[in-house]
Amino acid sequence: MATKRLPDDLQNRRKKAVPILIVLYALTMFLQAQIDPRVRELRSGEQGLESTSGGLGGEFLLLPLLGFREAAAGLLWVRCDEFFHSGDYDAILPLVRLITWLDPHAENVFITGAWHLAYNFTDSTERSDRRYIVPSQELLKEGVRNNPRIPDINFELGWQNYDKVKDYSAAAAAFTAAINTRAWKGSDDFPYGAPLKTHHILAHTYAKQGRIPEAIAEWRRALARSAEQLARDPRNFTYISLNAAEKNNIKELFQRYHDRYTDHDHEKSVNPTKYPFVIAPPKGSNIPKPWDVNLHVKFEAPRPKVFKMSGTMNIADGARLEVRISDWDYDARDMKRRDVVSKEILQKFKVEEDQTILMDTASVRKNRFEKELDMSKDPRMYSFAADTYKVIFTFNIRTTSPHIQDRHGYSGEGLMDVKEHIVLDRHIDLLGTKMIEGQDGEGPVWDGKSVPWLIDGKGVYGQPARLVRVTYKLSRKQLLGLEPITNKDVVPNDAL
Amino acid sequence: MSDLYSEVVRGSVTVWVFFSTLPLGKEVHILMASAIKIDGLTKKYIDVWQKQEVIAVNDLNLDVQEGEIFGFLGRNGAGKTTTIKMLLGLIFPTGGDATILGKPMGDNSVKQSLAYLPEETYFYDSMTGWDLIDYYGRLFKIPQPERARRVQQCLEKVRLQPDAWRRAVRGYSKGMRQRIGIAQALINDPKLLFLDEPTSGLDPIAHAELRDIVGSLKDEGKTVFLSSHQLADVELICSRIAIIHKGKLLTTGTIKELVEGERTEIVAQGSALHNGVFAKLKSIVPSVSIEGEDRVRLISTSAEEINAVIDLVRGAQGQIVAVVPQKRTLEDVFVETIRREEGEI
Amino acid sequence: MIPLAIANQTVREAMRRRVMWIFLISGLFLIAMGPVFGFLSPKDSQTVLRSLGLAAILLAGLFITIVTCIYLIPVEIERRTIYTVLSKPVQRYQFVLGKFLGGFATVFINIAAMGIVFLVLIYTQEHKVPMDMLLGVVMTFFQMLLLAALSIFFSTFTTPVVNFFLSFGVFMVGNLSSVTDSLASNPNPLVSNAGKIVHYLLPNFGNFNIQNSIIHPTIEIKNQEVFMMQNIIYAIVYSLVLLTLAVLIFDRREV
Ligand SMILES: Nc1ncnc2c1ncn2[C@@H]1O[C@H](COP(=O)(O)OP(=O)(O)OP(=O)(O)O)[C@@H](O)[C@H]1O
Ligand SMILES: [Mg+2]
């Protein structure tokens, strides 16, 4: 092997240069360590900027300029992640928007961004800003449009409706869409479109809707799939326990169903009052009368924008009374925003500054409830710009815990209120709900036709939930504590 | 920073060494008769795939005296350019050593007195001829009024027509480029010049002109290491040559030694010359050719042979028509040397 | 002296390259378009003028630096002009240094030309000399100093084509200092170490990106002078590291 022999002076230079090189290189690292905090400080100053680039250095714009859109999006996401950790929430939204524009297939950015919108904007007492739900869901829908073959975004949409919005029909639609996603070979769940958990959560959603037979059917679908999984890998403990859990869930659902309904003759126990399905015992029977919750609500404004709700309700401990304070026309405006999604929502996730909404719950203990709602500290969230407001107190048996459902039925069949505070949840989803045969051939048998009732002049079959509800219509002055709030402000449920 | 600093230090040290050795200059000159001393110089190239080795220069030993024009001959690919580049420190040997003007090869300080004309150079061709030579003058740190004078001197010396001095080199002909090349080699008034084929591809007049320029360098006391294929030129201007083949030195010596040899042709004539005499002549010299009834041509290789032949011819009443010393051309020497090496002779 | 002579010659040679002029003219054109875009944009027209101008200087400067510096040494070797230089009393380090200084001077001339046009343009609009914009140009300039050293370094052992992508790639990665800084504090040791390596070992071009802060008047750079000086020293020291490495490699190079 021939080796080059360098002249002596070159070799000497090498010997001399190496230590100098090391010192200089170490010096660059030292300098970098000095510069870093300043750069960080500088960048944090930039983050508050109201620009779409979120105050990012030119380096992030260079990549997309050269066509590396996905790469840029990926790097931005690293940056965004840091903002989550540092709690720099304002900086995140423009970044989410920029990333999803750069890379419309970044499904996790759609999901995380939507989650951020729906959950992370809160008032000083951690109540989230419901106004962000529209932009959040619009972002998810855009993600679904861009990624029709990725179930996760629909799953997130479903979960948000299930967990946050409690709109179970929207949740069911989204979960169904996730399940119906066309399977693709690259996915973990192939040959299925969506992960198994989607079936589980859809079954729970159906149960919340009162669509018990569909819930059971969904569990059975899940069971078939997990059995298949188990057959492929019979010793996988996760699969074994999952399969067992599903079986158990079906059993429990049947058990509850059976215990709650089979003792009653549905034909005969139809409530003759204007509230259908509240089960009144036939004359002369020893079955107890429907349970009277006897709701009393008192709503006061001791100080401007600070409210006190209190009262009594004849129900087991653990029940929660929902309260919602909003502009009178909040829902109407919200519907409109959903119908005609403005550029502002899609481009800037803008909320209507002049809209006010608060949602909270108060728990009932020993038949009493009491809660203070302070809306005075967050003027950006609660502007109180409208003239008229709606304050609604609701007890929804569907979202309550099972031990209360066991007493009064899934849909509140065993509930009544002397003050006629019962109102039917007239959601069209209840169409076509019917009873099925039991797990082992026995159990409730209801063909779905035996209990007809009318919605909008149409005869439909199903199980509407019975909500216990009190609604106030209040003026701005009343909320500011300038005028008293009395029982006269309660709007009868019939009038709504 | 450190590089700049060390340059300053190095620069001042060089100046100091230069002045302190000045009175000794002549002695040093007398002591060192060799301008170039090459000792076992070897350059191996390894094929990229490490499968085979090319030995471009193989254990070369040479001694070039000061003040001579040394011809360095060899076929294409013999290793001439490789040798020169090693001597200049442009590439690095894999074995052996060499000293140039008493300093190890590649030494920076000695480059002050060196010049190099590479084969086929493209200069910075957007520069004018003047600017180009001026630039090289700057690299020798020649200060200004002196530099302009030298540039002019060099350009005149290589006989580049003055109207071309301020034109871009891009528009120069091959001959003009070659002249510029020699001019850049002369800018530092070097002691030792390495000229790699300075006269190739020129018209006969330009060729002769440049050859004479190179030849005249000897009169200025410069040493020239001339690599060339133009054997006629070499024969004319070089005092000594070396022939290298496939990296190996085949022969070296003065032109005289190589060309002349010891052979003499004798032509004899006379009616009295007959077969008996011919037979006797054959016993004296090995090569005898009979050219007719009464004429013979022989080649002798020593003075005794010549005398013996003359005595014999005269004794036999014959006439000596001619005694001609046999001279070969350098080309004969070159071809013969290489053929012998190749085993063709 | 010798490096300066080489640098001088290098600048003259580099300024003749057509591709450099294309980028310079594009850069100047973009800067000149500032007021037009500012007029069309709904945003504050001064902001558009400023950000567009700085971006144009950066982009044109980036390309000019790379296409100039990647060729400086390879062209000498390819045309064999380097034989005539290195056979003169020119040390190899002087040659590299001269080439670097020449490349850098070329970049300086270009950025200065664009910078002057840019500042004059702003002056005609606002009737005052914006100091912070001058600082922005200066930072870009030092960023390019570092890039020039990087390209020269690569050019001692790669071909110009490979060098183009290498220099560009390292510039990109080095520009993501905010990302690598975040990665360096990642809980995952693998990620954090990789982040640290990129952040501290590679030349950190992101340090110099102060465009956003100077465009938006609401942001103040604290201890501006110290920050600037640190960055300038960083650029110089890192360039020295690269040049020393370049010399060590070039010393071994057979030409
Ligand atoms: N970089 C290199 N890698 C491999 N081999 C090389 C290299 N440079 C030269 N050689 C080989 O070394 C040998 C000598 O080349 P050199 O250029 O010295 O020849 P030359 O005598 O100058 O020929 P010419 O008269 O054609 O100029 C050739 O065989 C050549 O192929
Ligand atoms: Mg040659």
Side-chain angles (χ1 to χ4, degrees), chain A residues 173-451:
Chain A
F175 289 133
T176 309
I179 289 171
N180 291 338
T181 306
R182 198 144 57 90
W184 53 289
K185 285 226 157 117
S187 104
D188 295 341
D189 306 298
F190 190 78
Y192 300 98
L196 189 55
K197 66 174 181 185
T198 322
H199 291 280
H200 300 168
I201 187 72
L202 178 59
H204 286 301
T205 309
Y206 281 144
K208 293 259 190 215
Q209 278 186 286
R211 296 161 73 174
I212 309 302
E214 276 141 299
I216 290 172
E218 203 55 44
W219 278 120
R220 285 188 168 153
R221 267 190 283 272
L223 198 60
R225 214 176 125 176
S226 75
E228 204 175 284
Q229 227 173 24
L230 196 58
R232 243 182 287 131
D233 189 359
R235 304 184 63 173
N236 185 320
F237 183 73
T238 312
Y239 295 167
I240 296 171
S241 53
L242 195 68
N243 190 266
E246 285 166 346
K247 281 181 180 153
N248 191 51
N249 269 322
I250 293 182
K251 216 171 187 167
E252 195 180 300
L253 206 53
F254 264 112
Q255 189 64 50
R256 284 228 156 97
Y257 203 37
H258 184 269
D259 291 352
R260 290 172 190 174
Y261 296 104
T262 43
D263 288 347
H264 301 293
D265 182 341
H266 288 278
E267 293 281 355
K268 287 173 191 161
S269 62
V270 169
N271 193 332
T273 69
K274 58 180 173 174
Y275 305 113
F277 315 130
V278 174
I279 300 155
K283 277 211 168 75
S285 98
N286 53 359
I287 296 170
K289 278 187 179 170
W291 187 265
D292 181 5
V293 292
N294 195 11
L295 176 65
H296 275 276
V297 184
K298 196 173 175 201
F299 186 67
E300 299 157 290
R303 276 170 289 141
K305 302 184 193 173
V306 179
F307 310 107
K308 193 180 157 198
M309 61 179 274
S310 56
T312 56
M313 187 178 179
N314 186 16
I315 198 140
D317 283 3
R320 298 189 77 84
L321 190 65
E322 297 165 12
V323 56
R324 176 181 143 142
I325 304 171
S326 71
D327 304 337
W328 185 259
D329 62 350
Y330 185 89
D331 293 311
R333 277 179 74 180
D334 230 35
M335 289 299 271
K336 240 185 179 165
R337 289 187 86 201
R338 278 173 202 263
D339 287 347
V340 190
V341 177
S342 74
K343 260 190 178 170
E344 242 126 36
I345 295 177
L346 275 180
Q347 287 179 0
K348 295 187 178 160
F349 306 124
K350 213 176 154 249
V351 295
E352 303 285 334
E353 298 283 338
D354 60 348
Q355 276 192 306
T356 301
I357 184 167
L358 169 142
M359 280 175 81
D360 207 342
T361 61
S363 61
V364 182
R365 284 185 64 81
K366 300 206 167 115
N367 294 352
R368 301 193 60 80
F369 59 88
E370 189 177 316
K371 183 151 195 165
E372 196 186 71
L373 306 160
D374 187 346
M375 295 170 78
S376 67
K377 289 184 187 137
D378 306 279
R380 273 188 68 187
M381 201 165 137
Y382 309 121
S383 63
F384 289 102
D387 292 330
T388 340
Y389 295 85
K390 198 189 258 179
V391 179
I392 308 170
F393 299 91
T394 310
F395 172 70
N396 185 353
I397 192 121
R398 284 273 168 77
T399 57
T400 203
S401 45
H403 74 277
I404 301 174
Q405 288 175 347
D406 284 341
R407 294 184 193 191
H408 310 297
Y410 262 124
S411 310
E413 296 91 333
L415 275 184
M416 60 172 285
D417 183 70
V418 278
K419 302 223 180 61
E420 306 208 328
H421 286 141
I422 299 283
V423 62
L424 278 176
D425 188 357
R426 294 167 173 272
H427 211 295
I428 202 76
D429 284 314
L430 301 169
L431 247 168
T433 303
K434 56 186 176 180
M435 290 208 169
I436 48 157
E437 79 284 9
Q439 191 175 14
D440 306 308
E442 91 287 6
V445 183
W446 183 21
D447 63 1
K449 288 176 186 155
S450 47
V451 190

Side-chain angles (χ1 to χ4, degrees), chain A residues 1-7 10 20, chain B residues 2 44 46 92-96:
Chain A
M1 166 84 202
T3 44
K4 292 189 284 189
R5 283 196 305 110
L6 268 64
L10 292 191
I20 296 175
Chain B
S2 79
K44 290 181 187 171
I46 294 203
F92 309 107
T94 51

Side-chain angles (χ1 to χ4, degrees), chain A residues 4 32 36 40-41 56, chain C residues 181 199 207 212 222 252:
Chain A
K4 292 189 284 189
Q32 184 59 46
D36 274 336
R40 267 177 229 143
E41 196 181 8
L56 288 157
Chain C
D181 193 28
H199 193 69
N207 289 350
N212 268 303
K222 280 187 202 142
R252 292 190 65 86

Side-chain angles (χ1 to χ4, degrees), chain B residues 45-46 54-57 74-83 85 119 196-197 227 229, chain C residues 254:
Chain B
Y45 285 109
I46 294 203
V54 179
I55 306 184
V57 175
R75 302 182 61 186
N76 291 122
K80 302 183 295 294
T81 304
T82 307
T83 306
K85 279 162 76 177
E119 52 181 350
D196 202 347
E197 312 198 11
S227 149
H229 297 297
Chain C
E254 303 209 314

